[in-house]
Amino acid sequence: MDIHLTINGEARLLHAEPGERLLSALRAAGVMGVKHGCETGECGACAVLLNGQPALTCCRLAAQAEGASIVSIEALGEAPEPGWKPSRGLHPIQQAFIDTGAIQCGYCTPGFVMSLFAEQYRPD
């Protein structure tokens, strides 16, 4: 089935099998910051913003994202000045994780950052 959605500000058309999780469809589309962790919604490594709200992609079918806007860790920031091209640098939340040593191995860090990002921009 074809799924029309916006990923990090870009209109995309994804192909997904019936019953396929949003996690695997996003990774197949090259969104590799979304990590495969527990498949039960407990670890948060697969978190993205779905229509502005935190969502776990391992617990959602790809078909449920039809027409949605998804923001992943790739949209927040990137390593500053990798040497061969200019960079917009890291988002302040990403930098805070580095500055405080909160990155550990980095596998689940994108999900943590996305959850904090959602809280920062949540309307009161």
Side-chain angles (χ1 to χ4, degrees), residues 58-103:
C58 73
C59 297
R60 188 175 305 271
L61 296 175
Q64 292 176 296
E66 173 64 36
S69 174
I70 293 176
V71 177
S72 73
I73 191 75
E74 286 88 351
L76 266 63
E78 57 190 7
E81 299 302 327
W84 55 275
K85 69 173 186 165
S87 161
R88 67 182 187 274
L90 297 174
H91 185 277
I93 294 173
Q94 292 169 308
Q95 190 61 54
F97 268 67
I98 292 169
D99 292 346
T100 60
I103 56 173

Side-chain angles (χ1 to χ4, degrees), residues 8 23-24 42 44 49 56-57 59 69-70 72 83 89 104 114 120:
N8 298 328
L23 170 66
S24 63
E42 296 174 9
L49 299 188
L56 301 174
T57 60
C59 297
S69 174
I70 293 176
S72 73
Q104 299 174 25
M114 293 309 297
Q120 179 181 4

Side-chain angles (χ1 to χ4, degrees), residues 97-123:
F97 268 67
I98 292 169
D99 292 346
T100 60
I103 56 173
Q104 299 174 25
C105 74
Y107 192 79
C108 56
T109 305
F112 295 160
V113 170
M114 293 309 297
S115 294
L116 285 170
F117 182 74
E119 285 297 316
Q120 179 181 4
Y121 294 99
R122 175 176 280 164

Side-chain angles (χ1 to χ4, degrees), residues 4-37:
H4 301 84
L5 65 158
T6 302
I7 302 173
N8 298 328
E10 179 185 340
R12 301 280 301 267
L13 176 64
L14 303 183
H15 180 75
E17 298 298 322
E20 184 176 354
R21 305 279 179 166
L22 181 56
L23 170 66
S24 63
L26 288 173
R27 290 184 61 82
V31 184
M32 302 309 280
V34 180
K35 303 299 184 192
H36 178 257

